[in-house]
Amino acid sequence: MKSDLAKKGLEKAPHRSLFKALGLTEEEISRPLIGVVNSKNDIVPGHINLDKIAEAVKTGISMAGGTPIEFHTIGVCDGIAMNHIGMKYSLGSRELIADSIEIMATAHAFDGLVFITNCDKIVPGMLMAAARLNLPSIFISGGPMLAGTVDGRKLSLTQVFEGVGAAAAGRMSAEELVYLEEHACPTCGSCAGMFTANSMNCLTEALGMGLPGNGTIPAVYSERIRLAKTAGMKIMELLEKDIRPLDIMTPDAFANAIHIDMAIGCSTNSVLHLLAVASECGVKVDLDLFNKVSAETPNLCRLSPAGPHHMEDLYRAGGVQALYNELDKKGLITPDCITVTAKTVGENIASQAVEDYEVIRPVDDPYSTTGGLAMLFGNVAREGAVVKRSAVAEEMMQHEGPARVFNSEEEAVEAILANQINSGDVIVIRYEGPRGGPGMREMLTPTSAVAGMGMDKEVALITDGRFSGATRGASIGHVSPEAAAGGVIALVEDGDIIRIDIPALRLDLLVEDKLLEERRARWREPDAKIKTGYMKRYAQMVQSASTGAIFQK
């Protein structure tokens, strides 16, 4: 056992003394030491129940003959951090999470790890740590929130953000907005739509690192507690059989997960995070692979914000395993990938057929024959850009319009809420990339304001920043190279015509190369927006969004 490094032999008497100071008995010290990595805090709604999850995990570990030892890592609530300086720190927390777990697990010589996740950057940060450490590991999320209900209609946080735009446009009263905010988020858990947290929890299950049900069992269901106990017991089996993350997260496993990504219509952030996790695994994944998989994968789900269903509906329909079962009918997945069940994907899905074809469409009758995400390329995005195709209105799949250029999210929001955006415009928000932001802020406030004002079928938005999974409309993010790195998005001027052609996977600025060269000669990189602390260092180390915004190796 790896933990023998810290507990076995004459010279480890001081170490054993310290273990005993923790209250551990000789029997507990002699057992495998399992780190329980908990991201719980009191500011993230998806984390309020993680103390219960941790207790269940530790019970399971003890039942199966291990000694659980809990430690914590940080976590940011993207909704609360949205639309102010706090959002600059969200993506950067992913690397800190991975680094802090590496430090704790290595310093204390754990034999295996159970990762307790929920919410946006925590899941990929923990997956990156699992790959880097390559100790026997299993993931258990806190589960999704139940949808709220207003006037018999299900809703989630998306509608509150869109309500801001509706109220600004006079389409909703201030009293109605207050009523909405009081009823949209009724329970603990990750927000109820197919946003980034739920996307990544489902993709963790799809990769094979979480048990069946990890992505979809609601946070408030007792089944979630039972799953946590099972995860605690299962880590001991993984340790015994020496099944490690790099045995599970193989090239075929990533291809499988991307098929689920496309079928389910995940957040655009899933692209950023799968790229980063694959890099830690030493697996080649790039934007071209996403487009290749998208071209052959039917879109089977339309969950909020793309459609009327929520996570509880996907759970009831059979969840990720049922989606795999449906895709397998067309031979679209590799069923022999090993998972944390110690069984293969094929064995896991054998008895999990779709239970509601209203939520998960039949593979022969999809919403579309191509996946929920698309990677766009063109002169303004030579390294690529990402759009949630399944949440774009048919009228906006092809669009050509004049640019309205803003050098920050705040400038854009001010103009949108002041009714200064016209039908047909293409809003350009730049200097919000990984380096220029710094931190690649999510743009849920401007996109929701546009949607709430009823202009999501008339106005497009492109940015070198990114979007929350709650965003809908022709919202194109991750434009690379970013403005701060001298990308063409830095050279766009008001009135320039931008052409968007999502079916053709194109994003082009209709300006002659000679004129762009003249503009480039005049361009100067702006001063850093944050000049001290972690985000200053982050901006110096981070790479393009097309790499997953990973640090330079």
Side-chain angles (χ1 to χ4, degrees), residues 1 27-28 30-34 55-68 114 138 228-241:
M1 293 189 294
E27 171 64 22
E28 289 172 302
S30 70
R31 293 177 175 187
L33 303 184
I34 307 299
E55 287 305 313
V57 165
K58 290 189 284 188
T59 296
I61 293 169
S62 297
M63 288 166 59
T67 298
V114 180
I138 191 169
K229 289 179 181 176
T230 304
M233 291 185 283
K234 189 61 68 172
I235 188 62
M236 300 308 295
E237 181 180 353
L238 295 171
L239 182 61
E240 179 186 357
K241 294 181 176 178

Side-chain angles (χ1 to χ4, degrees), residues 276-291:
V277 176
S279 177
E280 288 285 355
C281 293
V283 172
K284 178 176 171 50
V285 172
D286 57 23
L287 297 184
D288 288 331
L289 177 61
F290 280 89
N291 272 343

Side-chain angles (χ1 to χ4, degrees), residues 429-434 440 443 462-466 476-484 489 545:
I429 305 178
R430 63 191 180 191
Y431 297 108
E432 292 285 7
M440 202 179 180
M443 302 289 163
I462 74 169
T463 180
D464 53 7
R466 58 194 177 90
I476 300 166
H478 305 201
V479 171
S480 302
E482 63 174 290
I489 191 171

Side-chain angles (χ1 to χ4, degrees), residues 189-372:
S190 46
C191 297
M194 186 47 70
F195 312 150
T196 304
N198 290 325
S199 295
M200 292 309 302
N201 283 326
C202 285
L203 292 177
T204 298
E205 181 180 338
L207 276 169
M209 291 298 295
L211 293 170
N214 177 70
T216 56
I217 297 171
V220 294
Y221 283 17
S222 297
E223 185 181 355
R224 174 65 59 182
I225 299 296
R226 297 197 300 272
L227 191 74
K229 289 179 181 176
T230 304
M233 291 185 283
K234 189 61 68 172
I235 188 62
M236 300 308 295
E237 181 180 353
L238 295 171
L239 182 61
E240 179 186 357
K241 294 181 176 178
D242 196 30
I243 298 173
R244 298 170 182 260
L246 296 185
D247 300 322
I248 295 171
M249 292 192 285
T250 63
D252 284 341
F254 276 98
N256 281 348
I258 295 171
H259 277 92
I260 289 292
D261 196 342
M262 297 303 166
I264 209 171
C266 288
S267 162
T268 52
N269 281 319
S270 65
V271 177
L272 198 70
H273 298 321
L274 285 176
L275 288 169
V277 176
S279 177
E280 288 285 355
C281 293
V283 172
K284 178 176 171 50
V285 172
D286 57 23
L287 297 184
D288 288 331
L289 177 61
F290 280 89
N291 272 343
K292 177 179 178 294
V293 173
S294 181
E296 66 183 22
T297 309
N299 180 221
L300 304 182
C301 292
R302 290 284 168 94
L303 276 68
S304 176
H309 299 125
H310 293 80
M311 291 303 297
E312 63 205 69
D313 301 308
L314 181 59
Y315 160 76
R316 181 172 44 81
V320 170
Q321 304 302 310
L323 274 162
Y324 262 148
N325 188 301
E326 199 66 20
L327 292 176
D328 193 40
K329 294 176 182 178
K330 291 289 188 181
L332 291 173
I333 64 167
T334 302
D336 59 359
C337 292
I338 194 69
T339 73
V340 291
T341 64
K343 298 178 180 178
T344 65
V345 169
E347 290 173 309
N348 291 342
I349 68 175
S351 60
Q352 185 56 73
V354 173
E355 297 179 20
D356 187 343
Y357 278 112
E358 290 295 317
V359 179
I360 300 174
R361 296 284 288 270
V363 73
D364 290 322
D365 184 27
Y367 285 103
S368 67
T369 57
T370 54

